Amino acid sequence: MTRSHVLRWLLWAGIASACLLAVATLSSPLWLGPTIARQASAVLGRPVAVGRVVLRPGSPLTITADEVLVGNPPDFPTDEEPLLRLGRLAMQLEVGALLRRREVVIPSVELTRPVVRLVSLPDGRRNYGSELGSRLLETLAGSKIGPVRIQDGQARVSLADPQAELDLKIKTVEGSELGPNAIHAEARGTYTDEPTQATLLLGGGREWHEPSASWSFDLDLTNGPTRASANGLVQQPLKPRTAALDLSISGPDMARLAPLTGVSLPHTPPYDLRGKLHYLENRFQFNGISGRMGKSDVQGTLTVIKGRERPLITADLSSRSADLRDITSLITGEPGPPGTPGQTPEQQERAEQVSRAARSSSRLLPSKPINMQRLRRADTHLVYRAESIKGRSMPFDDLAMRLEIVDGAVALRPLSFKVGQGRISGDIQLSPKSEEAVNGRADIRFDRLDLARLMQTTGRHQGRGALSGTARVEGTGRSLAEILGNGDGALTLSMTDGDLSKLLVDLAGLRLGSALLTSLGGEQRTRVECFLADMELRRGRLSTRALLLETEDAVTQGQGAVDLKREQVQIRLRTESKRLTIGVLPTALLISGSLKAPNAAPARPEGTGGAIADLFSALPTVQLGIGDDPRCERLVRRARRG
């Protein structure tokens, strides 16, 4: 062999050896794992360790890394498990796209035996959060990532607030109805100290980076007594931009949803609702709502906007048939009356306690303090209509209201109830006065209220007529009882051209003989010529300026007061017959005692006063607001003439 041939052979052998050495170096370079770990640590702001890294040349390039570990932040306790342990990471990389266009294209990612540990401590520190997510998203911005496959994934979540301990299993489901490589996740444990179970199936999207790609979403969740299911489409599931889901949700109290939704919702009776949920940039809109809340059916729309100083809740709701106690529960925060469907054992016990306390209490006016902190948690704009009101003893036929809560200030305007052919309408405002007290103001108008509907609630007496008038009150306090007990205002009521149970009128005038005959002969009616009540409220004391009832055969006047602070009443009624009446006692009737359970008994004689004319000596403008019928005004003029 010539020298030139030997040199040529040695040259090609050297080149081949160099190529083999280069391939061996690239296949398992000792320097690549530590380099990747250092760069990842700098990006994530926490320690990262990477075991053996293998590169398999090709198009695309395959990169495999074993035993990847992502630690916790530097200030986290050292005895806590790391954020992530990953048995193996395998990914493909389009080198040509990276060299030619500086574009990161990752056709596929495989995660084998990932174990995630999420922890939040009582002092507020946590090993995950928006900062870590922002860094990851910033690093991956512009990257094109294909299907992600997960084998034997696990996660354990321990949260101090809300109290949660959850174990998750995550895997990729091949050939799912949601498309190839759908992700299936199951969670079990406790959330807010309630037993929790959830199942999520996510799939259908082709590439994670594609902003317009729609992903099928199917979730079933149970958190204590709360149950929810949602299915539909989401975009960019790692950082959702929009979602359109069919949602069904039920539970004993919507306030329990606050830890799940991040929005403070009011306490409600048990609910079962369905509808369409749309999400777009911190805006949740629940359309086409149908279902029930307590014993009332509910339809309408609910919108929640986050990302503000206080969340904004806007609702337009209606009911075909409503139980007024359900609406009262929304205001008081109580679980509704005993026997409401869907109550938890705790709510049933609480409802029984509230009912027993109400029955045993000597007080009538609500004394529960107004929760100012709860009113400031969110701004609310609510429109609500009920076509009919349930309850055999309920005088109201329908309800319409508009509620606004802005920074703790409450406005109900209007609040309107239909009573027969008439209506009660009001304008009510509550303004924060201090950390505990509010200033309350109410202007109420009674417009031709159907007396038959009002008397129907007694279950014993009957009547007919149209009652009209106004009421005004303004006061300061921590509860409705304190506002009225400290309030100033007035009450004026009048009625003409109606009739009342003759038994009721006879008993008010202590005409016992007539009452006996009336009861033996069945319920009879007596025509009402005029009814007038004019009362002044000063510092919680409601005093009569005029209280007058004229029927076809008698005139009854009343004098006295109702102490709203002490909830005591003392009103004296005196009746003068227009004609001969059997069994009239020559004394007045005294109504006294508590406002909740007043007593009626013959009053002690107080001189010879009590003429009708005395009633109007201090009432120069009683004729105002009586109405078109002149009979009350003629009675007033006649009484003033003596």
Side-chain angles (χ1 to χ4, degrees):
M1 181 179 293
T2 63
R3 184 179 179 181
S4 60
H5 286 94
V6 172
L7 291 175
R8 189 179 301 116
W9 183 87
L10 291 175
L11 177 61
W12 283 111
I15 293 175
S17 299
C19 290
L20 290 174
L21 180 62
V23 170
T25 303
L26 289 174
S27 298
S28 184
L30 299 178
W31 51 267
L32 189 55
T35 301
I36 294 175
R38 284 195 302 271
Q39 292 180 346
S41 297
V43 170
L44 300 179
R46 59 189 65 212
V48 176
V50 179
R52 182 170 179 265
V53 177
V54 176
L55 303 180
R56 292 193 178 91
S59 182
L61 174 68
T62 300
I63 305 172
T64 303
D66 294 332
E67 301 302 329
V68 178
L69 184 147
V70 179
N72 295 318
D75 62 343
F76 222 66
T78 56
D79 58 347
E80 284 289 351
E81 297 179 26
L83 173 67
L84 172 66
R85 290 184 184 273
L86 183 58
R88 171 169 291 186
L89 167 65
M91 58 181 289
Q92 295 178 327
L93 176 65
E94 291 283 0
V95 179
L98 183 62
L99 295 177
R100 291 191 298 269
R101 302 189 300 272
R102 295 185 178 181
E103 183 179 45
V104 177
V105 179
I106 303 174
S108 68
V109 178
E110 292 186 9
L111 307 176
T112 303
R113 300 186 307 280
V115 179
V116 179
R117 175 73 169 135
L118 304 180
V119 180
S120 71
L121 303 177
D123 60 10
R125 288 180 294 166
R126 55 187 183 177
N127 68 344
Y128 64 97
S130 57
E131 181 180 356
L132 176 61
S134 298
R135 289 182 176 183
L136 284 171
L137 291 173
E138 182 179 349
T139 303
L140 298 175
S143 301
K144 295 183 177 180
I145 304 175
V148 177
R149 298 180 181 87
I150 302 174
Q151 296 182 21
D152 300 327
Q154 299 180 43
R156 186 181 175 196
V157 181
S158 298
L159 306 179
D161 185 22
Q163 293 181 336
E165 289 288 343
L166 295 170
D167 290 310
L168 289 82
K169 294 183 178 180
I170 309 168
K171 63 181 180 179
T172 301
V173 180
E174 300 288 346
S176 166
E177 61 181 10
L178 298 184
N181 303 315
I183 294 177
H184 180 270
E186 290 185 355
R188 294 178 183 273
T190 61
Y191 191 84
T192 61
D193 271 347
E194 296 278 10
T196 300
Q197 181 175 340
T199 302
L200 171 67
L201 191 60
L202 180 68
R206 290 174 296 178
E207 297 179 334
W208 291 86
H209 68 275
E210 182 59 47
S212 61
S214 294
W215 292 73
S216 296
F217 180 93
D218 195 335
L219 172 68
D220 285 303
L221 169 69
T222 300
N223 177 238
T226 301
R227 288 172 171 76
S229 64
N231 59 82
L233 299 176
V234 299
Q235 286 183 324
Q236 289 187 297
L238 291 180
K239 187 179 180 181
R241 298 180 57 192
T242 65
L245 307 172
D246 291 322
L247 175 64
S248 298
I249 186 165
S250 63
D253 184 354
M254 293 191 76
R256 289 173 176 251
L257 297 176
L260 297 172
T261 62
V263 178
S264 178
L265 297 171
H267 287 282
T268 69
Y271 63 93
D272 186 353
L273 303 173
R274 297 163 297 283
K276 295 279 189 179
L277 179 64
H278 296 272
Y279 169 77
L280 176 62
E281 297 179 359
N282 285 329
R283 179 187 180 95
F284 298 85
Q285 187 164 342
F286 197 15
N287 293 332
I289 296 173
S290 64
R292 65 165 182 85
M293 185 172 292
K295 296 183 179 180
S296 307
D297 65 87
V298 180
Q299 302 85 38
T301 299
L302 173 68
T303 301
V304 177
I305 300 177
K306 299 176 64 176
R308 308 168 72 249
E309 180 182 359
R310 294 178 301 277
L312 175 61
I313 302 174
T314 304
D316 189 341
L317 304 173
S318 64
S319 299
R320 289 182 291 272
S321 178
D323 191 319
L324 195 60
R325 294 173 297 180
D326 294 332
I327 301 169
T328 303
S329 297
L330 290 172
I331 299 173
T332 62
E334 298 296 350
T340 300
Q343 285 179 334
T344 63
E346 294 80 5
Q347 285 182 310
Q348 293 174 8
E349 182 179 354
R350 175 59 183 166
E352 291 289 351
Q353 289 176 352
V354 172
S355 180
R356 286 194 300 267
R359 291 194 301 268
S360 61
S361 174
S362 60
R363 310 285 288 188
L364 178 65
L365 300 176
S367 58
K368 183 177 180 179
I370 298 170
N371 192 330
M372 296 302 301
Q373 184 178 3
R374 182 161 61 92
L375 291 175
R376 287 193 171 102
R377 289 176 184 169
D379 292 341
T380 302
H381 301 277
L382 167 66
V383 175
Y384 177 73
R385 298 167 297 278
E387 296 178 11
S388 66
I389 305 294
K390 293 179 181 178
R392 297 180 60 183
S393 61
M394 190 63 59
F396 305 128
D397 297 317
D398 71 7
L399 166 65
M401 60 179 282
R402 180 184 296 272
L403 170 67
E404 294 186 356
I405 303 176
V406 179
D407 195 16
V410 181
L412 262 172
R413 46 186 178 194
L415 172 65
S416 177
F417 295 94
K418 184 180 180 183
V419 182
Q421 299 301 314
R423 186 166 291 278
I424 301 175
S425 55
D427 185 331
I428 302 173
Q429 299 179 58
L430 298 175
S431 304
K433 191 75 173 178
S434 65
E435 289 299 320
E436 296 182 348
V438 299
N439 182 74
R441 178 184 176 87
D443 291 286
I444 311 295
R445 180 177 179 84
F446 309 97
D447 186 13
R448 299 186 64 78
L449 302 186
D450 192 335
L451 186 63
R453 293 285 290 116
L454 296 175
M455 296 297 292
Q456 180 181 339
T457 63
T458 68
R460 297 177 58 189
H461 305 296
Q462 298 181 358
R464 179 182 60 82
L467 191 66
S468 299
T470 60
R472 175 179 54 82
V473 62
E474 183 171 3
T476 301
R478 295 169 299 175
S479 64
L480 178 59
E482 286 191 6
I483 292 172
L484 294 174
N486 299 323
D488 296 322
L491 171 67
T492 302
L493 294 171
S494 66
M495 185 183 78
T496 58
D497 192 21
D499 58 49
L500 283 173
S501 165
K502 197 170 189 298
L503 176 62
L504 181 65
V505 176
D506 288 342
L507 291 176
L510 291 179
R511 301 186 298 177
L512 302 184
S514 179
L516 178 61
L517 294 176
T518 300
S519 61
L520 291 175
E523 179 104 339
Q524 298 181 17
R525 305 285 189 87
T526 182
R527 181 187 174 95
V528 175
E529 300 289 345
C530 170
F531 168 74
L532 177 66
D534 187 75
M535 308 183 77
E536 179 185 34
L537 178 64
R538 184 172 293 277
R539 296 180 181 177
R541 184 177 176 83
L542 188 63
S543 304
T544 59
R545 293 188 291 199
L547 182 57
L548 174 69
L549 171 65
E550 181 183 20
T551 66
E552 56 188 349
D553 56 0
V555 176
T556 299
Q557 65 162 317
Q559 289 179 316
V562 178
D563 189 334
L564 297 179
K565 181 175 292 186
R566 297 172 55 241
E567 294 196 21
Q568 295 291 311
V569 58
Q570 187 163 3
I571 295 179
R572 184 185 300 267
L573 299 176
R574 179 180 294 277
T575 299
E576 298 179 5
S577 299
K578 293 181 178 180
R579 57 181 64 89
L580 179 63
T581 306
I582 301 173
V584 178
L585 292 183
T587 185
L589 178 70
L590 179 64
I591 301 175
S592 62
S594 71
L595 190 59
K596 183 177 181 180
N599 299 312
R604 294 179 180 178
E606 292 187 358
T608 59
I612 297 299
D614 295 340
L615 184 64
F616 304 103
S617 59
L619 193 60
T621 59
V622 71
Q623 72 272 17
L624 297 179
I626 290 177
D628 297 331
D629 196 309
R631 278 169 290 186
C632 277
E633 195 165 348
R634 287 200 302 268
L635 177 63
V636 172
R637 288 199 301 268
R638 186 171 70 250
R640 282 179 174 160
R641 287 196 299 267

